[in-house]
Amino acid sequence: MTGAPDAPFRLADRAARERAEEQLAPAATRAVATRGRARPEPDDPLRTAFERDRDRILHAKAFRRLKHKTQVFLNPDGDHFVTRLTHTLQVNQVARSLARALGLNESLAEAIALGHDVGHSPFGHIGEDAFDPYVEGGWHHAAQGVRIVEVLEDLNLTWEVRDGIRAHSWKISPPPATREAECVRYADRIGYLSHDALDAARAGVIRAGDLPARALAVFGQPGSEMVGAMIDAVVAGSLAPGSTSVVMAPDALEAMHELRDFMFARVYASDVAAGQKHVAVDVIRRLVDHHLAHPELMPATYRDTEAPVLTQVVDYVSGMTDRFALTTYDRLFDADASAQMRPLLGER
């Protein structure tokens, strides 16, 4: 059923969308060529395999919790600072823009982007560090994200989306297998460098003019100007003769590295961003230790009962939002962690 020639609508079902993917660039990942799911499923009549994955992630509990998880600044006092959820939506926009410009599979890039941070702990990367002593080899949010979609929520995603979530961080090896996941890697870095610089300037941690002169000359001011220039640089680098992967043009990449070094030195390690680190680490580790001693306190709805108790506890505590971790800590220990985690970041 496609509708009459003069009908106001035309059915664009899965088969039509898969045919449209034949026009994508040679490097694109076609839904019909997916390596599949852990459990085979009948095809959806309307959506491609990657579109189904996107929708499953959007409806996942772990995705909804991102709205109350820290991006960089702990417990900010202001409505406009970036959260883990708004960061994810920004990464999604950039990844889709890159994929569309390069003739790649936009639906696959979108699914990976929406799922890339579902494994993040409360209190951002500070929380991530707090779990390291409990996990051999250290704890990483990307691996936890894969565990969430494969085990704790069992979304039965395609291999390509799970691989993209696994390797969205630049420190993970081996790198992702698809060019769409490479788009997400760049989108993640483009998103956080730009919006974290905006947040830091808004709070008075830095001034926009403090950013490296080379980065300002190449990318412009943080915000839409910088995001657009970075997208253009990735498109240019990827389309350059001899390129076989998604890359940023060399000069722009050097400017991005300089900007990232500046952000780590002046923003991420600042007293405002990390000034309450001891509170966050204490909250997480005491919650882990307490639930190890009292595993019956964990809800049955979010437990992999076949895993060791330590794994179950780390699953539970790492899945908490910032505010739930603080209120649980205060209730269990008759403490005032919520008050200690007073906002250090005020909007100016």
Side-chain angles (χ1 to χ4, degrees):
M1 181 190 307
T2 59
D6 57 347
F9 303 109
R10 181 182 69 254
L11 178 64
D13 60 7
R14 174 185 50 78
R17 298 181 199 189
E18 290 175 347
R19 288 194 299 271
E21 288 184 357
E22 296 174 4
Q23 305 304 313
L24 295 175
T29 307
R30 275 74 176 171
V32 294
T34 175
R35 297 193 193 182
R37 308 178 188 276
R39 297 186 309 278
E41 300 178 4
D43 290 332
D44 185 86
L46 293 179
R47 298 169 296 169
T48 69
F50 300 144
E51 290 172 338
R52 293 180 82 179
D53 286 358
R54 172 204 60 201
D55 296 346
R56 289 177 182 183
I57 292 167
L58 275 172
H59 290 282
K61 291 184 291 185
F63 182 82
R64 295 197 293 274
R65 290 196 299 271
L66 295 176
K67 66 181 178 179
H68 293 302
K69 291 199 175 190
T70 289
Q71 170 64 16
V72 173
F73 301 107
L74 301 181
N75 198 30
D77 183 16
D79 293 330
H80 301 123
F81 294 106
V82 174
T83 67
R84 189 63 59 178
L85 178 60
T86 57
H87 163 74
T88 295
L89 296 178
Q90 290 165 335
V91 170
N92 178 48
Q93 179 269 316
V94 175
R96 289 179 60 192
S97 295
L98 289 172
R100 186 183 303 122
L102 296 173
L104 299 175
N105 194 317
E106 190 176 339
S107 296
L108 174 56
E110 182 175 29
I112 297 169
L114 291 174
H116 85 282
D117 266 357
V118 293
H120 244 295
S121 65
F123 312 124
H125 290 286
I126 290 174
E128 192 167 40
D129 295 341
F131 287 105
D132 279 347
Y134 301 98
V135 179
E136 184 176 356
W139 187 90
H140 195 274
H141 70 276
Q144 187 66 21
V146 174
R147 178 166 171 76
I148 285 172
V149 301
E150 288 185 346
V151 179
L152 299 177
E153 298 206 36
D154 190 15
L155 302 182
N156 197 32
L157 304 179
T158 58
W159 182 91
E160 291 78 9
V161 173
R162 288 181 283 125
D163 176 70
I165 294 172
R166 172 196 65 81
H168 74 269
S169 174
W170 291 84
K171 68 173 67 174
I172 299 299
S173 184
T178 67
R179 305 293 79 78
E180 289 81 4
E182 292 175 353
C183 289
V184 175
R185 275 191 164 190
Y186 271 104
D188 188 22
R189 185 162 289 185
I190 290 170
Y192 75 68
L193 287 176
S194 179
H195 61 54
D196 292 352
L198 274 178
D199 275 359
R202 179 180 296 119
V205 177
I206 62 171
R207 296 172 302 173
D210 293 337
L211 296 174
R214 185 178 185 181
L216 290 172
V218 174
F219 301 127
Q221 293 294 321
S224 61
E225 182 182 6
M226 179 174 285
V227 170
M230 288 183 171
I231 289 173
D232 290 344
V234 174
V235 172
S238 304
L239 294 178
S243 177
T244 59
S245 58
V246 178
V247 294
M248 181 175 273
D251 289 347
L253 184 60
E254 291 182 13
M256 175 182 271
H257 288 161
E258 188 176 342
L259 175 60
R260 186 171 181 271
D261 290 344
F262 170 88
M263 292 294 293
F264 271 90
R266 291 285 303 275
V267 177
Y268 304 138
S270 70
D271 289 341
V272 174
Q276 300 148 313
K277 180 176 181 178
H278 66 287
V279 179
V281 170
D282 181 65
V283 166
I284 287 176
R285 291 182 178 170
R286 287 194 69 184
L287 286 174
V288 171
D289 293 342
H290 187 78
H291 286 87
L292 280 172
H294 302 282
E296 71 279 0
L297 295 178
M298 293 186 292
T301 55
Y302 199 77
R303 292 179 66 177
D304 173 17
T305 56
E306 297 182 2
V309 172
L310 176 57
T311 300
Q312 295 182 44
V313 171
V314 171
D315 285 341
Y316 178 54
V317 178
S318 67
M320 292 179 175
T321 63
D322 297 28
R323 65 181 186 178
F324 185 76
L326 289 169
T327 56
T328 301
Y329 180 96
D330 289 350
R331 175 176 55 81
L332 289 175
F333 306 117
D334 192 23
D336 63 347
S338 298
Q340 292 181 54
M341 194 71 78
R342 65 192 184 284
L344 292 180
L345 189 63
E347 197 159 5
R348 298 183 181 184

